[in-house]
């Protein structure tokens, strides 16, 4: 519980004395601005998610400053092919003569973009559908629940593969879009269930009587109580998106010219990297994927504990 | 009773929606499928011979009627079980190809699912009973971290180490060429040998979900009032864990099992592809790769029907097992 209080950093008292409405406005804005660092602080308290945050930060830095970290152009194939890991090429070169380490560095970019954009898209859809179904109830709920269940039973990987086989163009953005559009269902169901229990609380009734509008109630009153669910949902979707992109790329769907950990594995497997003894070519992208997913899983431990006091077992 | 009728109606509606989606998605693609096939057949020529397109159209029985008639025809063929001719395995029909691959996927999927479920549920129950002990920590953390590994990666390593390097198992396929498929020892032992590595790759990940699910359910239930009552009555720890905890906690897992049975049909695209296992997953992969639309559509339809049926069974099962569901709706 002491952790939660950090979220409400008292900064309002320093605010300039404005007229009353302005002060209130200032207060909410200040609260909102300080909510994010507060959250970081809470996550930081949990040992597991602290490790995850550090790992995630490393991936983020590598991805943003990829040109600084990679010794060569990841697409350049000017080097001798099939070099062993060692001097000049940290992880060796591919059969085409590309530097594997540079590809690994740029692959972090692809995976993070896929995770963030795909995750955000899936979360946004889940949020809109879950909130609408849960809050409005009645026929709207019935109809939306039907769609949620439909999307829930459709097997994701074959569907994504099917859609990307039909999709015009094979770019990364098409893959992200498809992953985002297909991965929202379980999140929507959880959010709907949560909002159903929140909706009947007294403070919501009070807010409605106080004359707050529909969207105000949903976003001001209900959303803050769902933040941990939304964050967990986002992390889950991001992990799913990263895994789905890697799996698709590994199978050869999507654009094989994109530099990602999935396409690296695809080429490594395609060129028989293991048989020719180029361990690093296949091991590196697999381990990188695993560490990124692990980082997100570790962060999730903290978020989980935040929303569910029962999980605070330490 | 109303619960079951209602549930069945939803099933029919969902099935119809899924079937219709399966009709619409391929038709959203721009261009003419016959023309695409002709282009693929002669990749070097720049122009498309209209006679060839017409011939392919006739050969595959592509419709030239309007979309509503096509939809009606599509529904009719579904009812009759006519799924057309495969583009890439011509002249074999889609039904034939599915008949060839389905048994492989069913056997591999059913065996791994069953083992994974039993092992996972037992481990999860044990971890919840001894929660926060060393066994719990090792199991929970182990399952969580195993879950972060990409399955294609593990499968490739297994393939390399156990098949290429040590030669313990064959490198791929469903059975060796000299065995005659049928109920004979040579074939069965060969098929078994070929399925070990795919099965192990699946089994490494299969129990994870069951472990975590069972553990979380049971931890929650062991904190419930009626469990406390059992404790107050002086019942033994073992009895409480088995009859008050595990028996109730297993319900969501059983429902999950029913759902997972439906998922078997699709097979594991990645694993079957890596080990060249002759199942539905690989068939789907090849259909997608070769642009074999009738085949991919039908495989996908099979997967959807399997999952929907399983979902229905899961809900019925749940309605029987847990009376609250029937009343709550």
């Amino acid at each position: 519980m002491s952790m939660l209080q950090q979220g409400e950093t008292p900064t309002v008292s320093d605010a300039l004395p404005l007229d009353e409405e302005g002060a209130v406005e200032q207060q909410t804005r200040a609260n909102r601005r300080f909510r994010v660092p507060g959250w970081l602080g809470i996550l930081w308290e949990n040992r597991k998610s602290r490790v995850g945050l550090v790992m995630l930060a490393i991936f983020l830095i590598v991805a943003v400053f990829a040109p600084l970290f990679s010794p060569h152009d990841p697409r350049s194939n000017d080097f001798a092919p099939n070099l062993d890991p060692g001097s000049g090429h940290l992880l060796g070169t591919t059969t085409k003569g590309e530097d594997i380490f540079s590809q690994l560095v740029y692959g972090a970019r692809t995976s993070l973009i896929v995770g963030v954009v795909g995750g955000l898209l899936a979360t946004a859809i889940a949020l809109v559908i879950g909130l609408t179904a849960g809050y409005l109830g009645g026929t709207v709920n019935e109809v939306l629940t039907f769609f949620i269940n439909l999307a829930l039973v459709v097997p994701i990987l074959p569907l994504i593969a099917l859609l990307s086989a039909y999709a015009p163009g094979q770019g990364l953005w098409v893959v992200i879009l498809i992953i985002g559009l297909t991965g929202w269902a379980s999140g929507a169901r959880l959010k709907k269930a949560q909002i159903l229990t929140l909706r009947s609380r007294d403070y919501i009734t009070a807010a409605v009587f106080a004359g707050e509008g529909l969207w105000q109630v949903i976003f001001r009153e209900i959303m803050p109580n769902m933040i941990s669910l939304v964050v967990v949902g986002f992390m889950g979707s991001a992990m799913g998106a990263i895994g789905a992109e890697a799996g698709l790329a590994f199978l050869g769907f999507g654009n094989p010219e994109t530099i990602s950990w999935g396409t690296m594995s695809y080429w490594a497997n395609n060129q028989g990297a293991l048989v020719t003894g180029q361990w690093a070519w296949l091991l590196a992208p697999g381990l990188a994927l695993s560490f990124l997913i692990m980082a997100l899983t570790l962060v999730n431990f903290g978020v989980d504990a935040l929303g569910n006091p029962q999980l605070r077992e330490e | 009773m109303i619960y079951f009728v209602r549930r069945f109606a939803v099933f029919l509606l969902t099935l119809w929606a899924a079937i219709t989606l399966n009709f619409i998605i391929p038709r959203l693609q721009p261009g003419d499928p016959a023309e695409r096939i002709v282009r693929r057949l002669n990749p070097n020529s720049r122009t498309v011979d209209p006679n060839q397109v017409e011939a392919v159209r006739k050969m595959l029985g592509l419709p030239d009627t309007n979309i509503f008639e096509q939809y009606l025809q599509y529904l009719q063929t579904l009812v009759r079980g006519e799924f057309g001719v495969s583009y890439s395995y011509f002249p074999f029909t889609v039904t034939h190809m599915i008949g060839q691959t389905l048994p492989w996927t069913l056997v591999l999927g059913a065996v791994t699912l069953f083992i994974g479920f039993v092992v996972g549920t037992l481990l999860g129950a044990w971890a919840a009973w001894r929660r926060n002990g060393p066994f719990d920590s090792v199991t929970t953390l182990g399952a969580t971290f195993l879950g972060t590994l990409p399955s294609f990666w593990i499968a490739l390593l297994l393939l390399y180490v156990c098949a290429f390097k040590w030669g313990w198992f064959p490198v791929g396929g469903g059975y060796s060429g000299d065995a005659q498929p049928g109920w004979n020892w040579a074939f069965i032992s060969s098929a078994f040998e070929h399925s070990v590595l795919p099965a192990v790759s699946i089994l490494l990940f299969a129990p994870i979900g069951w472990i975590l699910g069972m553990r979380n359910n049971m931890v929650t239930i062991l904190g419930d009032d009626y469990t406390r009552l059992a404790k107050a009555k002086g019942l033994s720890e073992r009895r409480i864990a088995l009859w008050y905890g595990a028996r109730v906690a297993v319900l969501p897992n059983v429902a999950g099992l029913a759902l997972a049975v439906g998922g078997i049909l699709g097979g594991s695209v990645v694993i079957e592809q890596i080990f060249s296992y002759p199942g539905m997953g690989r068939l789907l992969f090849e259909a997608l790769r070769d642009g074999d639309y009738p085949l991919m559509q039908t495989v996908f339809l099979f997967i959807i029907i399997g999952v929907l049926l399983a979902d229905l069974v899961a809900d019925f099962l749940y309605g029987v097992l847990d009376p609250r569901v029937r009343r709550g709706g």
Side-chain angles (χ1 to χ4, degrees):
Chain A
M1 271 308 168
S2 64
M3 282 190 274
L4 273 174
Q5 279 155 12
Q6 289 190 353
E8 293 144 22
T9 322
T11 50
V12 201
S13 51
D14 308 332
L16 290 169
L18 300 164
D19 62 302
E20 212 172 314
E21 272 189 35
V24 171
E25 191 70 4
Q26 187 92 351
Q27 181 176 352
T28 40
R29 219 181 295 147
N31 270 349
R32 238 176 252 153
R33 198 177 330 128
F34 279 89
R35 186 159 282 149
V36 176
W39 270 89
L40 270 182
I42 295 162
L43 288 178
W44 195 255
E45 289 283 309
N46 185 306
R47 205 153 26 100
K48 285 177 191 153
S49 60
R50 196 184 314 158
V51 177
L53 283 176
V54 171
M55 288 169 73
L56 211 54
I58 294 174
F59 275 110
L60 203 65
I61 291 168
V62 169
V64 172
F65 300 105
L68 296 180
F69 285 95
S70 69
H72 304 285
D73 179 357
R75 291 177 196 277
S76 149
N77 48 9
D78 301 337
F79 311 108
N82 301 327
L83 287 181
D84 281 334
S87 59
H89 299 282
L90 198 56
L91 295 174
T93 56
T94 68
T95 45
K96 281 200 239 161
E98 301 147 325
D99 183 55
I100 293 174
F101 182 72
S102 303
Q103 293 201 334
L104 191 72
V105 168
Y106 274 88
R109 243 183 207 188
T110 311
S111 277
L112 282 182
I113 290 176
V114 169
V116 170
V117 180
L120 279 179
L121 192 58
T123 310
I125 299 174
L127 203 54
V128 170
I129 293 191
L131 285 181
T132 317
Y135 193 75
L136 293 182
T139 322
V140 178
N141 180 22
E142 297 270 323
V143 172
L144 288 178
T145 304
F146 173 73
F147 280 109
I148 293 175
N149 286 338
L150 181 64
L152 212 55
V153 293
V154 173
I156 297 282
L157 191 72
L159 178 68
I160 296 175
L162 193 73
L163 286 175
S164 51
Y166 287 127
Q170 296 277 298
L172 183 67
W173 292 102
V174 177
V175 172
I176 295 178
L177 193 70
I178 292 171
I179 291 173
L181 288 178
T182 46
W184 54 270
S186 61
R189 188 167 68 165
L190 282 176
K191 286 170 189 106
K192 191 191 83 176
Q194 172 90 348
I195 204 172
L196 277 176
T197 69
L198 286 175
R199 194 180 57 162
S200 51
R201 302 272 170 90
D202 288 342
Y203 80 100
I204 297 294
T205 318
V208 173
F209 279 135
E212 284 191 35
L214 177 64
W215 297 109
Q216 253 178 327
V217 173
I218 290 182
F219 283 101
R220 284 246 179 96
E221 310 294 340
I222 293 180
M223 274 298 286
N225 286 301
M226 294 181 61
I227 278 293
S228 78
L229 193 70
V230 173
V231 175
V232 171
F234 167 73
M235 305 280 248
S237 307
M239 281 190 258
I242 292 169
E245 190 275 334
L248 280 178
F250 171 72
L251 286 173
F253 302 118
N255 186 352
E257 298 307 316
T258 312
I259 291 175
S260 83
W261 295 331
T263 45
M264 285 176 77
S265 314
Y266 167 74
W267 285 114
N269 182 40
N270 214 6
Q271 303 290 321
L274 287 182
V275 184
T276 57
Q278 286 174 288
W279 282 91
W281 193 5
L282 189 69
L283 284 182
L287 275 180
L289 263 174
S290 174
F291 278 125
L292 180 56
I293 301 282
M294 203 180 284
L296 290 168
T297 311
L298 284 169
V299 175
N300 242 351
F301 274 110
V303 184
D304 272 340
L306 202 73
N308 183 355
Q310 276 187 325
L311 289 173
R312 282 185 215 149
E313 285 169 10
E314 284 164 70
Chain B
M1 197 56 210
I2 286 174
Y3 167 78
F4 294 107
V5 172
R6 205 182 130 85
R7 189 58 199 76
F8 190 70
V10 171
F11 162 75
L12 288 181
L13 197 61
T14 320
L15 185 64
W16 170 77
I19 288 174
T20 306
L21 266 182
N22 206 26
F23 172 81
I24 294 172
I25 291 175
R27 281 162 182 79
L28 290 178
Q29 194 187 29
D32 176 11
E35 201 178 302
R36 265 197 306 277
I37 292 165
V38 172
R39 275 187 198 283
R40 208 172 45 238
L41 287 177
N42 0 307
N44 296 323
S45 88
R46 291 181 148 223
T47 53
V48 179
D49 181 3
N51 292 330
Q52 258 181 330
V53 175
E54 197 51 38
V56 168
R57 197 180 279 285
K58 287 243 164 63
M59 179 180 88
L60 299 170
L62 288 177
D64 42 12
T65 47
N66 73 43
I67 192 113
F68 295 104
E69 280 176 45
Q70 284 184 39
Y71 182 62
L72 286 179
Q73 271 175 6
Y74 165 79
L75 290 183
Q76 277 172 6
T77 53
L78 282 194
V79 173
R80 286 197 224 109
E82 293 165 4
F83 298 109
V85 179
S86 159
Y87 291 176
S88 49
Y89 292 97
F90 188 83
F92 286 116
T93 59
V94 168
T95 318
H96 174 83
M97 291 316 296
I98 289 178
Q100 290 282 302
T101 50
L102 193 58
W104 293 94
T105 285
L106 283 184
V107 171
L108 181 67
V111 171
T112 50
L113 177 63
F114 180 73
I115 297 177
F117 174 80
V118 171
V119 170
T121 306
L122 287 177
L123 286 179
W126 190 270
W129 187 29
R130 296 285 158 94
R131 63 183 173 284
N132 300 332
F135 179 81
D136 180 29
S137 312
V138 171
T139 315
T140 318
L141 277 180
T144 309
F145 286 124
L146 201 61
T148 67
L149 296 171
S151 63
F152 67 81
W153 193 70
I154 293 289
L156 279 177
L157 291 187
L158 277 176
L159 177 69
Y160 176 68
V161 174
C162 300
F164 277 113
K165 200 150 199 191
W166 296 339
W168 288 356
F169 298 102
V171 288
Y175 57 96
S176 48
D178 47 353
Q180 199 63 35
W183 289 109
N184 58 72
W185 175 245
F187 171 71
I188 291 173
S189 65
S190 169
F192 176 78
E193 216 181 18
H194 281 77
S195 65
V196 170
L197 284 183
V200 169
S201 317
I202 297 174
L203 279 176
L204 274 176
F205 297 96
I208 295 175
W210 307 121
I211 292 178
L212 299 178
M214 183 67 185
R215 184 191 173 275
N216 287 350
N217 294 336
M218 197 158 145
V219 164
T220 314
I221 283 165
L222 288 180
D224 271 356
D225 285 346
Y226 76 97
T227 322
R228 242 176 262 157
L229 173 73
K231 249 178 231 158
K233 285 200 295 192
L235 296 179
S236 73
E237 279 285 321
R238 182 185 299 270
R239 199 180 157 79
I240 292 172
L242 280 178
W243 289 99
Y244 286 73
R247 200 171 57 128
V248 183
V250 85
L251 288 185
N253 262 20
V254 170
L257 181 68
L259 252 185
V261 168
I264 289 179
L265 275 187
S268 167
V269 179
V270 173
I271 301 287
E272 288 186 10
Q273 175 54 20
I274 288 174
F275 294 101
S276 327
Y277 191 81
M280 292 272 279
R282 187 148 184 269
L283 190 68
L284 179 64
F285 170 83
E286 286 176 345
L288 289 165
R289 189 194 55 196
D290 302 338
D292 189 342
Y293 297 107
L295 189 56
M296 69 172 102
Q297 239 184 313
T298 314
V299 172
F300 196 66
L301 194 67
F302 264 69
I303 298 175
I304 290 183
I305 291 175
V307 175
L308 284 180
L309 270 177
D311 192 34
L312 182 72
V313 172
D315 274 9
F316 275 14
L317 208 60
Y318 223 84
V320 173
L321 292 174
D322 191 339
R324 285 172 302 185
V325 176
R326 267 177 316 215
R327 269 183 267 120

